[in-house]
Amino acid sequence: MSDVKLYLDGELVDVDSKTAIVETKQINSLFDLKDRQTSFTRNFTLLLTKETSNILDKIGHKQSVSEKPYRNLKPQLYRNGTPTITGGKFVVKSVIDSNKVKGNIQDGVVSLFDDMGSKTLSDLDFTDANHIFSKTKLIQSYTHEWEDIYVYPLLNCGVFESESIDHRYQSPAIYMKWLFEQIFKESNYTYTYRGANNPLESEYFKTKAITIDKGILTDVNNVVDFSLCIRSIKQKDFFKAVLQMFGLMFQKEKSTNNYEFITTKDLFTDRLGAQDLSNKLFEHRNTSFKLGNYGKVNSFKYKYDQENADFADGSFDLDNETLKDSATMLTMPFKAPELSNDVVNNELIHDTPLFSVTRNDDGSIKDVKSKSSTPYIINISRRYGTLSFIGTPYTGIYSLANFEGLNFSSIIGANYSSFTSSINRAKSHTVDFELKASDVYAFDFLRLVYLAQFQRYFYCNKISNYKENKVTKVELIEINTSALIGNEYSDDYNNDYNN
């Protein structure tokens, strides 16, 4: 007989022997590249015994003023002494007949996404970055690295003359790596990387930045407060954009506040690290040859200033005549900047119009106003040369914004080839496993599954409806078995909690 113990905020509640707590485990469905999924239980009921009622502040009483329905209660679930859930949240759904409470548990990545909630990037602590604007401060920022938070890269922000640059109409950009690190820091979480090549520590990531979303009229107010000019992007959307840039998957390390990351490239090519579950296979149910909402042409997109622009978009093709013609896999929350006609030191400058200008008949500036925009994503490169600022020219190192490495054609080629190789001849297998509670708890979604019966490797898409002493349905995506050359293939991602 199963012994199920459930703790809420560290206190043991009564679980009736007839109550089934059914768990589904997942981190990232290959059916959906846009979002990451949380693990969860089905709704279940708890009898409001005297002990449970006291723990829930007499939630079933008609005059109850319990705060528990409005709070996330930390669950711990044990089956025969083995933990299967050690974090996440228990959510009260309703009270039934004054003597039962219905609820469910959400686990996995839910904790991090809950902490981000509806916060925008402006809710981060920018104390160390805020400053009094000056030409000197602008020039000093030219050598700023990601740890320095911001930089003023050379851009045409709406008011720009290459032979007489007005420093007042240059705008700062914030390093994406600092934003990523700060989200974890302020949420009191850490992260580690599981694979061989950590893109979150790459020089590529350390040079990527996003502009502010509104020009700052420094003649009116010379205080640069980033919390006032980076309000348009939610932390959750920024975080998912970073995952999408690198094809990252992640899971919460059990019983810790640490999150583990791996790219699909590292995961799908790691045969030696696979977990052999051959002895757990009970029955093969069926095989499906179509995954999710993919099309023959699958697009990755940016936002743009110009309607119908698509110069930085990219796509991958699937050779499957049964699919619809096209599908949009994801759209970044950033704009891709266009090239301007302005040249500085023999290089074209990018447009990020954060100011609007009204001119007199003779072309002189009549008025400049701040302009709001979705932030632009840029790469920061260093150059040496002379900049013709109004007043005193500057010669030395300066930061130039460009779009190097950000075109989606490049991103897909660098980070998604293993993924596209596997879904191009997609096979999704539904199988039944004989799993114990210890198997569920120890299961590692960041390792492939090997089944000797098929002599194949699989990505586990989902463990569905686990219940003790029952076979468990598991969804496995067959990984392309083409020969590997170096680290690549030889032939040319329900309960969407995160919305």
Side-chain angles (χ1 to χ4, degrees):
M1 186 175 181
S2 176
D3 177 26
V4 176
K5 287 185 168 60
L6 175 63
Y7 294 82
L8 298 179
D9 286 345
E11 297 189 85
L12 181 65
V13 297
D14 292 322
V15 178
D16 188 89
S17 60
K18 297 180 181 179
T19 297
I21 302 179
V22 182
E23 299 179 52
T24 290
K25 303 287 189 180
Q26 58 184 350
I27 60 167
N28 189 139
S29 173
L30 292 192
F31 298 163
D32 190 350
L33 281 178
K34 296 190 295 296
D35 296 303
R36 303 302 185 269
Q37 287 73 32
T38 185
S39 297
F40 60 97
T41 69
R42 290 182 181 176
N43 288 336
F44 59 92
T45 58
L46 298 172
L47 290 175
L48 287 174
T49 61
K50 180 178 179 181
E51 291 77 10
T52 300
S53 180
N54 287 337
I55 291 169
L56 296 178
D57 294 342
K58 297 181 171 48
I59 192 174
H61 291 201
K62 289 182 171 58
Q63 285 77 37
S64 172
V65 291
S66 173
E67 289 290 311
K68 300 297 184 180
Y70 313 106
R71 298 291 180 262
N72 294 327
L73 311 180
K74 183 179 179 180
Q76 293 172 294
L77 181 66
Y78 293 82
R79 301 178 189 268
N80 295 320
T82 300
T84 58
I85 295 175
T86 57
K89 62 181 181 180
F90 174 80
V91 179
V92 174
K93 293 291 186 179
S94 62
V95 171
I96 304 171
D97 297 331
S98 300
N99 62 0
K100 296 177 185 176
V101 61
K102 179 190 288 187
N104 62 43
I105 297 172
Q106 297 170 359
D107 191 17
V109 301
V110 64
S111 300
L112 179 60
F113 280 108
D114 263 3
D115 281 337
M116 287 188 276
S118 60
K119 297 177 189 173
T120 69
L121 294 178
S122 67
D123 291 306
L124 294 172
D125 183 1
F126 285 99
T127 300
D128 293 338
N130 296 336
H131 58 277
I132 304 299
F133 178 81
S134 67
K135 184 178 177 181
T136 299
K137 202 72 174 178
L138 179 149
I139 292 172
Q140 288 175 345
S141 82
Y142 284 158
T143 56
H144 280 186
E145 304 294 342
W146 74 267
E147 297 94 339
D148 301 306
I149 308 176
Y150 71 93
V151 61
Y152 282 83
L154 193 62
L155 285 164
N156 182 343
C157 296
V159 184
F160 191 86
E161 299 289 342
S162 58
E163 299 302 321
S164 55
I165 302 171
D166 193 330
H167 70 277
R168 296 174 300 169
Y169 303 117
Q170 291 289 288
S171 292
I174 308 168
Y175 282 105
M176 293 180 69
K177 179 166 173 60
W178 183 87
L179 291 167
F180 190 84
E181 298 286 339
Q182 195 70 6
I183 287 172
F184 272 86
K185 178 181 177 181
E186 294 189 20
S187 298
N188 293 315
Y189 292 108
T190 59
Y191 73 86
T192 52
Y193 186 76
R194 178 78 70 84
N197 304 290
N198 185 358
L200 299 172
E201 291 296 332
S202 65
E203 291 304 313
Y204 173 94
F205 190 40
K206 292 176 181 178
T207 62
K208 300 303 176 281
I210 59 172
T211 67
I212 56 177
D213 57 19
K214 186 177 183 180
I216 302 171
L217 293 170
T218 55
D219 283 346
V220 178
N221 182 4
N222 67 348
V223 177
V224 178
D225 183 346
F226 286 100
S227 67
L228 301 178
C229 52
I230 192 72
R231 292 175 168 176
S232 61
I233 294 183
K234 291 183 178 180
Q235 292 182 22
K236 188 186 299 183
D237 293 334
F238 172 84
F239 179 80
K240 291 196 293 185
V242 173
L243 301 187
Q244 292 158 357
M245 283 177 66
F246 297 113
L248 282 164
M249 309 170 77
F250 76 114
Q251 67 181 7
K252 190 173 185 289
E253 190 175 4
K254 297 171 180 66
S255 302
T256 75
N257 282 333
N258 187 65
Y259 284 84
E260 300 176 296
F261 289 82
I262 193 170
T263 61
T264 54
K265 179 178 179 179
D266 278 351
L267 173 59
F268 284 12
T269 56
D270 181 15
R271 304 302 200 260
L272 294 178
Q275 47 201 333
D276 188 343
L277 299 182
S278 304
N279 64 343
K280 302 296 180 182
L281 181 62
F282 177 78
E283 182 181 23
H284 180 272
R285 290 193 183 188
N286 59 67
T287 301
S288 173
F289 300 95
K290 183 179 178 181
L291 298 182
N293 199 33
Y294 295 107
K296 296 175 186 175
V297 179
N298 301 274
S299 299
F300 292 54
K301 297 183 177 183
Y302 284 106
K303 298 179 180 180
Y304 298 92
D305 281 321
Q306 302 299 321
E307 189 177 357
N308 299 322
D310 62 359
F311 59 83
D313 294 350
S315 64
F316 65 84
D317 297 344
L318 296 179
D319 182 18
N320 186 335
E321 294 179 354
T322 69
L323 298 176
K324 60 186 177 182
D325 288 340
S326 62
T328 297
M329 293 292 96
L330 56 90
T331 300
M332 282 287 192
F334 318 120
K335 284 182 179 178
E338 297 181 15
L339 277 171
S340 72
N341 295 318
D342 298 291
V343 177
V344 174
N345 296 325
N346 299 315
E347 290 189 83
L348 288 171
I349 304 303
H350 279 79
D351 276 332
T352 56
L354 296 173
F355 299 100
S356 60
V357 59
T358 303
R359 295 186 179 273
N360 296 307
D361 292 340
D362 62 0
S364 60
I365 293 176
K366 179 180 180 180
D367 184 42
V368 176
K369 293 182 179 180
S370 175
K371 182 178 178 181
S372 296
S373 171
T374 297
Y376 299 84
I377 185 170
I378 53 177
N379 178 70
I380 306 299
S381 294
R382 295 281 146 67
R383 299 289 189 266
Y384 184 89
T386 297
L387 300 180
S388 301
F389 286 115
I390 295 175
T392 305
Y394 163 77
T395 298
I397 295 173
Y398 63 93
S399 290
L400 176 73
N402 56 35
F403 204 64
E404 182 179 322
L406 288 168
N407 190 294
F408 260 129
S409 294
S410 300
I411 290 174
I412 292 170
N415 300 325
Y416 282 90
S417 54
S418 297
F419 169 81
T420 58
S421 177
S422 289
I423 66 170
N424 196 42
R425 284 291 182 266
K427 289 184 181 179
S428 174
H429 299 267
T430 302
V431 301
D432 285 336
F433 275 175
E434 293 182 299
L435 298 176
K436 298 182 294 186
S438 57
D439 298 321
V440 175
Y441 182 69
F443 190 84
D444 190 344
F445 280 94
L446 301 188
R447 296 168 61 195
L448 296 180
V449 170
Y450 176 73
L451 294 180
Q453 295 88 336
F454 296 87
Q455 295 188 4
R456 291 289 187 272
Y457 293 87
F458 304 86
Y459 169 72
C460 182
N461 211 44
K462 183 186 294 187
I463 298 174
S464 296
N465 302 327
Y466 170 75
K467 183 181 178 183
E468 62 275 12
N469 304 319
K470 300 287 185 180
V471 294
T472 302
K473 183 172 74 171
V474 178
E475 186 175 15
L476 299 173
I477 309 302
E478 187 172 326
I479 300 301
N480 192 303
T481 55
S482 301
L484 290 173
I485 299 177
N487 289 323
E488 260 312 342
Y489 288 107
S490 59
D491 51 353
D492 305 24
Y493 99 178
N494 60 34
N495 183 50
D496 179 18
Y497 178 78
N498 301 325
N499 284 335

